[in-house]
Amino acid sequence: MTAELTPPVVVGMDRSYWGRAALWWAAGHAAAVGAGLDVRVHTDVPIESYGTIGEVRRGFPTTPVRVRSDGDPVSGLIRASRGAALVVLGCRDTRHRGIGLGDAVAP
């Protein structure tokens, strides 16, 4: 299958260590299954400051990478998940609840 026919791998990313780890894992998985990569970032931070995205594009040159900004990360990820093959999120800070789910994961 080509990346256009395969549902994308969606990754929610911030500039934390775990956000970058999630991006790299998602990019590797997307490349392995022939899917595109849909990177979701928060609009409060300029996309240029996510330098890791450029590194991923160079590391996986045949994987289509789309970057989208969402004002509300949770709503954006929920919308993106409807057409995704997989949604990848890192963990962050102390905002985890109960079984380790963070604010963006639980909804």
Side-chain angles (χ1 to χ4, degrees):
M1 283 189 191
T2 64
E4 292 81 29
L5 299 176
T6 303
V9 172
V10 174
V11 59
M13 189 203 169
D14 59 18
R15 294 180 298 163
S16 71
Y17 170 83
W18 291 111
R20 292 188 306 273
L23 174 66
W24 278 105
W25 190 93
H29 181 76
V33 300
L37 184 63
D38 183 357
V39 182
R40 298 292 174 138
V41 298
H42 197 282
T43 55
D44 289 349
V45 181
I47 290 174
E48 300 80 37
S49 69
Y50 291 89
T52 309
I53 294 171
E55 294 169 14
V56 165
R57 283 185 167 135
R58 289 186 295 278
F60 298 94
T62 60
T63 300
V65 178
R66 293 171 297 284
V67 180
R68 297 193 169 116
S69 296
D70 293 308
D72 174 21
V74 174
S75 296
L77 286 167
I78 289 171
R79 280 192 307 277
S81 72
R82 292 184 182 123
L86 177 71
V87 177
V88 179
L89 299 171
C91 63
R92 182 177 165 189
D93 298 331
T94 58
R95 298 183 323 187
H96 306 301
R97 308 283 188 261
I99 59 171
L101 298 179
D103 293 342
V105 178

